[in-house]
Amino acid sequence: MSFLVIGECVADIVRAPAGSGAADRVHPGGSPANVAYGLARLGRDVTLLTQLADDPGGRLIADHLKGAGVRVEIGGVPARTPSAVVGLDAEGRATYTFDIAWTLETGAPAAEEPTHVHIGSIAAVTAPGAATVLAEVERLRDRATVSYDPNVRPELMGEHGEAVARVERCVALSDLVKASDEDLGWLYPGESPQAVAARWLALGPAVVLVTRGASGSRAVTRRETVTADAPPVTVVDTVGAGDSFMSAVLDALAERGRDALDGLGAEHLAGLLRRAGAAAAVTVSRAGALPPDRSELDAAREEFALRSGRAS
């Protein structure tokens, strides 16, 4: 199965704690780029359609992606590579201050069309580039399954009602959607995650996944609602955790078509959540958005399964 991920790359500048004497760290980032990188680390055939400038941040990110085997397709060169200053609290939770523009142009036609397209984050809702993202999804969705992660950044979303409408348009184009409880809380204040999942399922997707950090995750389909605990882990930082979760989900579902997604049962959904949770746990145990490769993921699944006393 071949994957096309469309979205932004971001140089994450992780601020050292005040008074620590440590230097700031720069990590390759951007939610869609992280998903592409995670898929490549798991051995998947993946292309990322994005924008990068020929500057230190752009070269760092390009080398990082290509080193894992991601094919990087440039849809226009911005004046500078997008960046985000990342602040970490005492528990490793990240907050972001962005310097980003998104003016994506259509890339060169691929020699082989993808069988799955993933979109999300800033790129799917930020003009003018978002129009290119959605046009590519609409062009390919008859022949490829589609996933979406809103990865909400409130400071970049604009007026709330318009932002919700843009997100719901992406949801309606998708077969699988993942969002965090924080995303849903901003989009639909006062609504339960289960109510939002039902709202989104009515728009078209077969599966809605909700991540809840240390509280675990939930999968909702038209027939099933399944939850899973998060594996116990010492958190270094949470950068890229949701993207690792998404990569592991897409890897696990790689050979399933649209009809098969609609028929996922409770047992399969529970296994999917545990697997993706293990990938996220590996990522938060180390600095930056560094998802596991397949051997690391298999080892983590085995370890967490032994701790919980069940098969992985």
Side-chain angles (χ1 to χ4, degrees):
M1 184 173 194
S2 60
F3 290 87
L4 172 64
V5 179
I6 311 175
E8 75 274 5
C9 293
V10 179
D12 287 337
I13 305 165
V14 183
R15 289 282 185 242
S20 67
D24 293 345
R25 294 174 284 127
V26 181
H27 295 289
S31 176
N34 291 342
V35 172
Y37 183 79
L39 283 166
R41 292 266 292 169
L42 292 171
R44 292 296 176 179
D45 178 11
V46 56
T47 297
L48 175 68
L49 174 57
T50 191
Q51 292 190 300
L52 285 172
D54 185 15
D55 56 19
R59 291 189 289 272
L60 171 73
I61 293 169
D63 289 347
H64 169 77
L65 292 166
K66 292 175 182 177
V70 178
R71 286 186 297 275
V72 180
E73 185 177 314
I74 302 300
V77 178
R80 59 187 178 277
T81 296
S83 64
V85 176
V86 184
L88 301 174
D89 67 13
E91 297 180 354
R93 290 187 296 257
T95 57
Y96 299 84
T97 303
F98 290 95
D99 178 8
I100 185 168
W102 181 243
T103 57
L104 185 73
E105 302 167 5
T106 304
E112 180 181 350
E113 287 196 335
T115 49
H116 184 88
V117 180
H118 175 73
I119 63 171
S121 196
I122 297 163
V125 295
T126 301
T132 301
V133 176
L134 296 184
E136 280 296 282
V137 172
E138 289 170 343
R139 182 178 72 83
L140 293 167
R141 73 180 309 267
D142 286 344
R143 305 180 294 283
T145 48
V146 179
S147 56
Y148 171 56
D149 177 0
N151 193 43
V152 170
R153 303 303 185 200
E155 62 270 37
L156 300 177
M157 298 295 284
E159 193 276 325
H160 183 267
E162 293 178 359
V164 172
R166 291 194 298 270
V167 167
E168 289 184 348
R169 182 181 178 194
C170 295
V171 169
L173 289 170
S174 303
D175 301 292
L176 180 146
V177 180
K178 181 201 77 73
S180 71
D181 53 359
E182 293 179 348
D183 293 337
L184 302 188
W186 187 86
L187 290 165
Y188 306 99
E191 288 195 41
S192 70
Q194 189 73 23
V196 176
R199 175 199 293 262
W200 281 1
L201 289 170
L203 294 175
V207 183
V208 175
L209 305 175
V210 181
T211 57
R212 301 179 294 156
S215 297
S217 56
R218 173 179 298 179
V220 186
T221 70
R222 292 174 182 81
R223 301 178 183 86
E224 306 282 357
T225 296
V226 177
T227 60
D229 295 332
V233 65
T234 299
V235 175
V236 173
D237 70 47
T238 61
V239 177
D243 304 323
S244 292
F245 187 102
M246 186 84 251
S247 296
V249 166
L250 296 181
D251 173 62
L253 297 176
E255 308 307 327
R256 289 179 172 266
R258 191 167 285 130
D259 292 341
L261 283 176
D262 198 39
L264 290 174
E267 183 176 352
H268 194 105
L269 290 167
L272 182 70
L273 293 179
R274 290 195 297 269
R275 186 178 191 280
V282 172
T283 302
V284 303
S285 71
R286 52 199 187 192
L290 182 57
D293 62 22
R294 191 165 297 281
S295 63
E296 289 175 320
L297 179 55
D298 289 344
R301 291 172 63 200
E302 182 68 22
E303 177 187 350
F304 297 141
L306 287 172
R307 287 190 196 179
S308 64
R310 66 169 165 256
S312 60

